[in-house]
Amino acid sequence: MTITLTPGAATLGQLHDIWANGHAVALDPAARAGIEAAQALVAQAAAGEAAVYGVNTGFGKLASVKIAARDVATLQRNLILSHCCGVGEPLDAATTRLMMVLKLLSLGRGASGVAQQTVALIEAMLEHDVIPVIPSQGSVGASGDLAPLAHMAAAMIGEGEVIWAGDRMPADAALALTGLSPVVLGPKEGLALINGTQFSTACALVGLWGAWRNAETCVLTCALSTDAIMGSTAPLQDAIHTLRGHAGQIAVARAQRALMEGSQIRESHRDGDTRVQDPYCIRCQPQVTGAAMDLLHFAGRTLEVEANAVTDNPLVLVEEGLIVSGGNFHAEPVGFAADQIAVAISEIGAIAQRRVALMVDPTLSFDLPPFLTPDPGLNSGLMIAEVTTAALMSENKHLANPCTTDSTPTSANQEDHVSMAAHAARRLERMNANLNVILGVEAMCGAQGIEFRAPLQTSAPLQAAMAVLRAEVPAIAEDRYMAPSIEAASALVRSGALAGSVELPGFVKGHVA
């Protein structure tokens, strides 16, 4: 399946679909006229005598060096090769494909000056699944994601490595095997390919979608925990949350209320409950996770704008007949969005971990057995699973410290303030993985606690969620080797299978609408 995208109008839903399902992508044919008009203006500048940055000059601190017309093609090739300085583990294939799609969208706006054949090669590489090997470290998020994008551009000129048909191989070999030809870069094309925020934005989008899946799951796991401790649903009343007015808070309360509707456990203690108030980790779930969801929505809007933006330099302003240097490559908006996502991930995990601690603590868990084992003492139950969640919660707190405040000057002080957006975005994968485990353990604890309330039954939606969990993670009757159970539970969170087992009114599954 090929998805046609309109530059400037791609949605988060479309991008999520492409990322999740590996679709081929083509630009709307209407974009071609703008692409060609911008290229013509660059060609005119390249043939002239005036120095135009990125067309017939050096780069960065070397911008004052004029390049002869006969050397323009060599200039662009040298630019790509010299900037292939990435290190570290390769970016995964799905995120790399998304990065390529974002570069397509940027070039398709007709302000970069590349040739149509260069755009067509990116489309063809996506169609044939020729995926450049992109080292994940080396960008500071200003002057664009130079090193990562240079590795992408290198594959397009037949240099570097790609993944094709499951094998890692030289780029020129993969292009030949798929009937594609490397491009010879014209004036400004190399700079247009490596300038831009597409690496940071792709990583931030994947982090956003992972955080959203975790946030959905958190609504479910809190409902399990609330029933496990025989908590009150009174704090979920709609009037409480509409009086405050925050959309995320209102949505979380409504969804959790719906999940718990019809629970025999809840009805058994509605009257005569001597507890006036539950701990904050139960009572304030809508306020905390709802606020995190509002933050994710805000970050999503920022990243949607950035996904459609032109972020290379200089920009080709066709209507004005100008090629102008600016700073759209500076990834500060992406860095801020990623920092916000990190804070949301950390806080979702922080409150969920406190619910895990609540359920295993015999002084707090309201008649549940210590550490949720039927034979405490001989068995330790979920004692150390809770310790693991505490370790991961603490790690996420450290990782949530802002990256955008850690600017450092680069490139002989020409680039004297950078965004660190790549750092901000890349750490989201690790944070989401930690949160997958925290929520997986919470689901294990919640289900175990609910089963101790038999013969009382929880609600039908929560029973359905528990059935999905129990298909992979059996109840804990006596101590067993626990690591596989934790991995299985976290995998259900990571895949969205646990959250997908229930209806969450008002939520768009899988991504931020």
Side-chain angles (χ1 to χ4, degrees), residues 50-121:
V52 179
Y53 176 70
V55 176
N56 53 13
T57 71
F59 307 103
K61 198 76 170 182
L62 302 175
S64 60
V65 179
K66 181 76 160 54
I67 306 299
R70 65 179 179 277
D71 293 326
V72 166
T74 302
L75 173 71
Q76 297 300 313
R77 182 177 179 83
N78 287 349
L79 175 69
I80 300 305
L81 298 178
S82 68
H83 283 56
C84 287
C85 295
V87 297
E89 291 296 314
L91 193 63
D92 66 277
T95 309
T96 302
R97 294 183 88 261
L98 179 61
M99 181 187 77
M100 296 168 72
V101 170
L102 297 180
K103 179 54 75 174
L104 263 182
L105 285 170
S106 181
L107 300 178
R109 294 288 297 274
S112 299
V114 301
Q116 178 61 36
Q117 66 179 13
T118 300
V119 173
L121 180 57

Side-chain angles (χ1 to χ4, degrees), residues 13 51 61 76 81 114 212 225 232 260 323 355 396 433:
K61 198 76 170 182
Q76 297 300 313
L81 298 178
V114 301
W212 189 252
S225 300
S232 175
M260 299 184 68
I323 301 175
R355 291 192 294 268
N396 273 2

Side-chain angles (χ1 to χ4, degrees), residues 413-489:
N413 278 301
Q414 176 75 1
E415 299 157 8
D416 57 357
H417 182 280
V418 299
S419 72
M420 294 299 180
H423 295 69
R426 281 178 44 243
R427 85 343 186 137
L428 299 178
E429 179 181 16
R430 179 176 168 189
M431 294 185 70
N432 274 318
N434 289 343
L435 183 49
N436 294 158
V437 175
I438 295 170
L439 296 176
V441 172
E442 184 184 9
M444 291 169 62
C445 291
Q448 189 89 350
I450 285 172
E451 287 162 349
F452 280 120
R453 303 299 181 186
L456 295 175
Q457 296 288 311
T458 189
S459 66
L462 295 186
Q463 287 182 53
M466 288 173 59
V468 169
L469 179 69
R470 286 291 175 245
E472 303 294 332
V473 183
I476 302 170
E478 58 185 25
D479 284 353
R480 63 174 185 257
Y481 188 62
M482 286 295 294
S485 293
I486 293 174
E487 172 53 36

Side-chain angles (χ1 to χ4, degrees), residues 66 88 112 165 202 235-236 258 299 309 341 351 361 407 418 433 440 456 474 511:
K66 181 76 160 54
S112 299
L236 299 175
I341 295 166
I351 194 168
D361 187 341
S407 175
V418 299
L456 295 175
H511 67 89

Side-chain angles (χ1 to χ4, degrees), residues 252-274:
V252 169
R254 286 176 178 170
Q256 189 174 327
R257 197 166 61 244
L259 289 177
M260 299 184 68
E261 183 66 33
S263 167
Q264 292 177 1
I265 299 171
R266 176 65 194 102
E267 293 306 314
S268 72
H269 63 95
R270 189 179 293 277
D271 298 321
D273 195 335
T274 58

Side-chain angles (χ1 to χ4, degrees), residues 312-333:
D312 62 288
N313 181 63
L315 295 181
V316 183
L317 308 180
V318 174
E319 290 188 9
E320 294 83 355
L322 298 173
I323 301 175
V324 183
S325 289
N328 280 4
F329 49 68
H330 199 293
E332 196 84 352

Side-chain angles (χ1 to χ4, degrees), residues 37-53:
Q39 186 205 8
L41 192 57
V42 168
Q44 179 183 334
E49 294 298 320
V52 179
Y53 176 70

